[in-house]
Every structure is written in structure tokens, then in C-alpha cells.
């Protein structure tokens, strides 16, 4: 096992009506002028934005609002948010929604607290020295951004989608009310479940430093999400299933399921980020579409983990060679994805890249990871291209 740092400073308030604690929390973390940042309007339609502004009015907390964060959130709106915060002397950010609104808020927070172009952080040119404090009310269980150090932004010029990770970006508090996720379209619920599982699987499929306790947590989390994703497919209003998935989403990406490992593989995410940047697909669906091709390409180099996963998570029959068991596990994941309406290749995802576009994605992906990346198997540009080709 490897030494590790585990830092999860986010205060979590979980359960029905937990948003009633909002103004107390903003005051606790020193907010006096708030930017409420949200997405394309689901929080307007659900009434959440109105309840939030009413609560801030009653508590005498000043605020400004900025909506419009799109899935695969854009840098342009981040710049707009930074200007607005400076002009209005905002000292606290409130992200309402999913990973896109929260990530966009994180980027605004870096931009306000640091001089220069905020894209430099996403372009690996320098690191942030601070950020505005951020609180979130989550409306979709998926990315784990509510506790994670990551933020993923797309630069419109060149459609470059990049992530930046810094402990400064971790939210001060996260309000998690599973009921707020009940208005989600079924497709987004399934995308979220896929992303949650993938955050744990990226850490699980590694060739370095695995711990029994971490594996047990990871396997339990994966089985829980797999089970509850199917419950939600059949009954989207099941509160307990919403709650299981929501908490799993936070734990899947706050570092817990990676303690002691080498950090994990993360190549499915890197390959997906190119798809998201170029074709604007939903992140979870993009992951599902690419994972099987990635897994078949790498599994022999990480056979012991694929076998363990097949037996302990996908619960396949323990019969035949290790390779047969591992492959049965991969097939079981794809069957599961299909069962919740997720794609298992690019065609099912709805994109049909040309050979030139596949090459472009492989090239951008290789640049984005600094040449090569992967723990299950180290992948270079030619490997990335082979996986993209296999996923068509
Ligand atoms: O924009 P609105 O109108 O709010 O609609 C959203 C959006 O269309 C909708 N939605 C959210 N909550 C809803 C709802 N609709 C009805 N009822 C609700 N309660 O769902 C759609 C998707 O929302 P979005 O925020 O885009 O989804 P998600 O949370 O999956 O975030 C995806 C983004 O996060 C990045 C992804 O790459 C992608 O850009 N990621 C961020 C990570 C992080 N910060 O740690 C890690 C992830 O691996 C990921 O890369
Ligand atoms: Zn993800």
C-alpha cells in the first residue's frame, strides 16, 4: 500500500429538508454577499431557486444570481461570473445543481481569488493559491463535485475540456437532500449512477498499492449503486434508493475509495472528456460508451483486479480461467449499463466520429495527460486511438 493524504473538509448536511439549514451555513462560513450560480433552469422549474432567494432575503444576506452553466460547462460563463463577483464584491459562492454548476462555481472562485487568466490552472500552467468559499445544494447524484477537489471546464475555442484539482476547490458545505433529485429525467439518473460507479472503478483498476479496507468499501459502494440504479429505473421516486445513490456519489469521489492506492487509472475519464468536449454528450453516458473498449484493451495487464471485480462486484460465476472470469465481469458491466439505458459504444451514444476525429481526440487526450497515463495499463496516443476505434 502507498502512503496517503485524506482531506475531506466539506460539512455534509444530508436528508429531507436539509436546505432549510442554508442561511445558517452561509453565515457560519462568513458569507455576506453571495453569488448564486446555477444551470439551465431546472432549479427555477423545481422552485429551489425561489426557496433559496426567499431564505436569503429573510436572513438579510445579500446576493446576486448567475444562471446558464451548461452540461460540460463553458469557460465564457466562468469569465462572466468572475467579473460579476468582482463588481458586486461577492465573498461567498453558492452552487445550485449538478457537477456543471458546481464546477463552474469552483472555476469562478479560483478566478476571483487569483490574478491572471483562470484557464491557466486548467492548462496546467500554474496552481491556484486560493479560492472564494463555496457551498452547494446538490440536485443530481453523479460527479461527487460536492466534496471533490476537481472542477472540469470546457474552453469553447478548440473545444478543450480539462479538469483542475486543488484542495482550495473543495466546498465548505454540501446540502444533500435526496428528494431534490426526484425531478431528474431517467436518463440523467442513469448517467449519474454510471459516473458514481466509474469514480470508484477508476480507483479500483490499478496496479499499485491496494488495501483490503479500501477494496471492501469500494466493492460495497459499487454493489449498492448497481442495485439501487435498477430500483430507480423502476421507481424513480424511491426515497431510500435516491439516498443510497446520493451518498454513494459523494463517497465515490471524495478520496475514500482510493486510500492507499497509486491514485488509480482514470483513462476512461480522460477518453470521455474528449467526447464531452467535442460532442457535448452527457458525461456518464460517455463513460459507459467507452468503458467496455477500454476494459477489453487493458484487462490482461491488470488481471488480478479484473477477476476480483468480476467476482466481488458483478458476482459472476467463479468458473474457468482468470481471463474468462475477468471477461465475464466486463460483459456483466455492459449488460448492466444496457439494463439502465446506458450506451456501450459510440453509436449507441449517438455519435459517429470520422477517422480524422478519432485521431484528433486521441491526440488531444494524449496532450491532456502529458503523453501517457493509466495504472491498469499505461496508455499512449496509439493505445488511445485503438480504444476509440474499438468503441465505434
Ligand atoms: O442545467 P439544469 O437545468 O440544472 O439541468 C441539468 C442538466 O441538464 C439537469 N438536472 C440536474 N439536476 C436536476 C436536473 N433536471 C431535473 N431535476 C434535477 N433535480 O441534469 C443535466 C445534467 O446536469 P449536470 O450538472 O451537467 O450533470 P453532472 O452532475 O453529471 O455534471 C457533469 C459535469 O461534471 C463533470 C463532467 O465532466 C461534466 O462536465 N465532472 C466533474 C467532476 C468533479 N468536479 O469532481 C468529476 C466528474 O468525473 C466529471 O468529469
Ligand atoms: Zn466522472
Amino acid at each position: 500500500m502507498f502512503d496517503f493524504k485524506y482531506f475531506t473538509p466539506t460539512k455534509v448536511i444530508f436528508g429531507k429538508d436539509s436546505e432549510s439549514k442554508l442561511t445558517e451555513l452561509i453565515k457560519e462560513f462568513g458569507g455576506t454577499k453571495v453569488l448564486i450560480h446555477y444551470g439551465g433552469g431546472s432549479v427555477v422549474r423545481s422552485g429551489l431557486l425561489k426557496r433559496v432567494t426567499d431564505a436569503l432575503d429573510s436572513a438579510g444576506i445579500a446576493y446576486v444570481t448567475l444562471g446558464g452553466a451548461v452540461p460540460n460547462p463553458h469557460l465564457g460563463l466562468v469569465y462572466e461570473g468572475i467579473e460579476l463577483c468582482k463588481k458586486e464584491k461577492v465573498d461567498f459562492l453558492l452552487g445550485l445543481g449538478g457537477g456543471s454548476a458546481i464546477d463552474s462555481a469552483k472555476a469562478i472562485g479560483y478566478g476571483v481569488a487569483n490574478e491572471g487568466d483562470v484557464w491557466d490552472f486548467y492548462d496546467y500552467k500554474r496552481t491556484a493559491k486560493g479560492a472564494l468559499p463555496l457551498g452547494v445544494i446538490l440536485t443530481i447524484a453523479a460527479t461527487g463535485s460536492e466534496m471533490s477537489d476537481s472542477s472540469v471546464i470546457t474552453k469553447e475555442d478548440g473545444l478543450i475540456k480539462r479538469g483542475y484539482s486543488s484542495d482550495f476547490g473543495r466546498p465548505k458545505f454540501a446540502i444533500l437532500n435526496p428528494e431534490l433529485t426526484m425531478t431528474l429525467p431517467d436518463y440523467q439518473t442513469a448517467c449519474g449512477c454510471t459516473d458514481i460507479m466509474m469514480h470508484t472503478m477508476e480507483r479500483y483498476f490499478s496496479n499499485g498499492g491496494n488495501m483490503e479496507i479500501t477494496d471492501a468499501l469500494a466493492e460495497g459502494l459499487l454493489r449498492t449503486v448497481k442495485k439501487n440504479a435498477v430500483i430507480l429505473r423502476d421507481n424513480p421516486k424511491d426515497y431510500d434508493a435516491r439516498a443510497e445513490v446520493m451518498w454513494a456519489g459523494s463517497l465515490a469521489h471524495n478520496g475514500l475509495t482510493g486510500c492507499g492506492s497509486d491514485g488509480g487509472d482514470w483513462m476512461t475519464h480522460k477518453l470521455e472528456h474528449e467526447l464531452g468536449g467535442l460532442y457535448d454528450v452527457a458525461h456518464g453516458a460517455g463513460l459507459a460508451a467507452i468503458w467496455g473498449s477500454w476494459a477489453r484493451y487493458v484487462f490482461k495487464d491488470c488481471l488480478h483486479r479484473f477477476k476480483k471485480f468480476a467476482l466481488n462486484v458483478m458476482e459472476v460465476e467463479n468458473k474457468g480461467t482468470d481471463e474468462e472470469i475477468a471477461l465475464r465481469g466486463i460483459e456483466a458491466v455492459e449488460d448492466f449499463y444496457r439494463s439502465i439505458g446506458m450506451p456501450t459504444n459510440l453509436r449507441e451514444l449517438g455519435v459517429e466520429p470520422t477517422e480524422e476525429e478519432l485521431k484528433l481526440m486521441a491526440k488531444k487526450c494524449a496532450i491532456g495527460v502529458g503523453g501517457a497515463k493509466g495504472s491498469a495499463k499505461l496508455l499512449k496516443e496509439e493505445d488511445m486511438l485503438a480504444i476509440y476505434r474499438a468503441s465505434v
Side-chain angles (χ1 to χ4, degrees):
M1 80 172 261
F2 288 84
D3 296 343
F4 61 88
K5 174 193 83 173
Y6 180 63
F7 180 63
T8 49
T10 306
K11 184 167 189 169
V12 173
I13 309 292
F14 193 101
K16 291 178 185 171
D17 202 30
S18 46
E19 61 273 26
S20 65
K21 300 283 184 298
L22 175 65
T23 55
E24 252 171 67
L25 289 162
I26 293 174
K27 285 182 180 166
E28 181 182 335
F29 290 101
T32 62
K33 178 87 185 255
V34 178
L35 171 73
I36 304 171
H37 192 41
Y38 58 96
S42 71
V43 298
V44 179
R45 289 189 296 279
S46 69
L48 178 63
L49 180 63
K50 173 84 169 62
R51 282 188 282 135
V52 165
T53 53
D54 285 352
L56 266 65
D57 285 335
S58 302
I61 301 173
Y63 60 85
V64 284
T65 61
L66 179 65
V70 291
N72 304 309
H74 289 170
L75 182 60
L77 190 70
V78 171
Y79 289 144
E80 210 181 299
I82 294 167
E83 285 315 307
L84 183 61
C85 286
K86 287 182 177 167
K87 184 168 141 254
E88 296 286 340
K89 303 204 169 19
V90 164
D91 60 14
F92 196 90
L93 297 167
L94 179 64
L96 293 190
S100 296
I102 299 170
D103 285 5
S104 185
K106 287 181 181 180
I108 292 170
Y110 294 132
V112 175
N114 297 272
E115 292 300 316
D117 187 353
V118 70
W119 183 252
D120 288 352
F121 305 130
Y122 296 82
D123 210 15
Y124 317 123
K125 288 194 175 125
R126 56 197 179 102
T127 55
K129 301 283 182 280
L132 273 192
L134 164 71
V136 308
I137 302 182
L138 190 68
T139 65
I140 170 173
T143 64
S145 187
E146 66 275 11
M147 287 183 89
S148 85
D149 61 355
S150 323
S151 153
V152 187
I153 298 295
T154 298
K155 184 180 185 178
E156 298 89 325
D157 182 12
L159 295 174
I160 303 168
K161 182 173 173 179
R162 292 268 177 83
Y164 176 60
S165 299
S166 160
D167 280 336
F168 293 120
R170 292 188 192 268
K172 299 290 179 206
F173 65 79
I175 290 176
L176 307 182
N177 176 356
E179 285 182 329
L180 296 179
T181 66
M182 287 190 186
T183 50
L184 277 168
D186 295 344
Y187 184 72
Q188 289 295 341
T189 298
C191 284
C193 291
T194 304
D195 193 21
I196 293 166
M197 291 180 72
M198 278 306 312
H199 291 158
T200 296
M201 287 153 72
E202 296 277 24
R203 292 171 167 92
Y204 192 92
F205 293 112
S206 100
N207 267 312
N210 304 114
M211 284 180 84
E212 202 177 307
I213 176 72
T214 299
D215 279 357
L217 289 165
E219 289 165 4
L221 188 152
L222 287 164
R223 285 193 303 269
T224 301
V225 179
K226 183 162 67 85
K227 176 179 158 194
N228 285 283
V230 174
I231 294 175
L232 289 177
R233 176 197 65 192
D234 299 336
N235 180 13
K237 301 280 183 215
D238 187 312
Y239 178 84
D240 289 345
R242 288 281 176 198
E244 297 283 357
V245 167
M246 195 169 215
W247 187 222
S250 300
L251 298 183
H253 205 34
N254 75 359
L256 183 68
T257 60
C259 292
S261 88
D262 62 357
D265 187 86
W266 293 104
M267 273 312 298
T268 308
H269 265 74
K270 298 296 176 191
L271 292 162
E272 190 289 326
H273 281 175
E274 299 310 322
L275 289 169
L278 208 55
Y279 303 106
D280 210 15
V281 296
H283 173 61
L287 293 170
I290 205 86
W291 186 80
S293 303
W294 169 83
R296 287 193 177 79
Y297 194 81
V298 308
F299 81 97
K300 287 183 190 159
D301 292 75
C302 195
L303 194 54
H304 62 301
R305 303 295 292 167
F306 274 89
K307 179 184 174 188
K308 190 168 191 231
F309 173 85
L311 294 173
N312 294 355
V313 178
M314 301 317 291
E315 295 164 311
V316 304
E317 210 182 339
N318 190 0
K319 197 179 82 182
T321 65
D322 287 359
E323 284 193 14
E324 283 166 353
I325 293 168
L327 278 171
R328 216 174 287 135
I330 295 170
E331 278 157 24
V333 172
E334 290 181 320
D335 287 345
F336 164 72
Y337 286 156
R338 282 187 211 101
S339 79
I340 59 167
M342 285 288 100
T344 55
N345 57 48
L346 297 190
R347 194 174 11 86
E348 289 170 11
L349 180 64
V351 300
E352 290 181 28
T354 61
E355 175 66 11
E356 282 316 302
E357 286 169 335
L358 295 176
K359 284 183 179 156
L360 176 67
M361 285 195 288
K363 187 170 180 209
K364 282 168 71 181
C365 189
I367 292 171
V369 300
K373 187 174 171 66
S375 172
K377 180 182 173 77
L378 188 70
L379 302 182
K380 298 189 184 132
E381 186 176 330
E382 60 265 31
D383 304 305
M384 298 170 198
L385 180 57
I387 293 170
Y388 280 132
R389 280 184 180 140
S391 71
V392 170

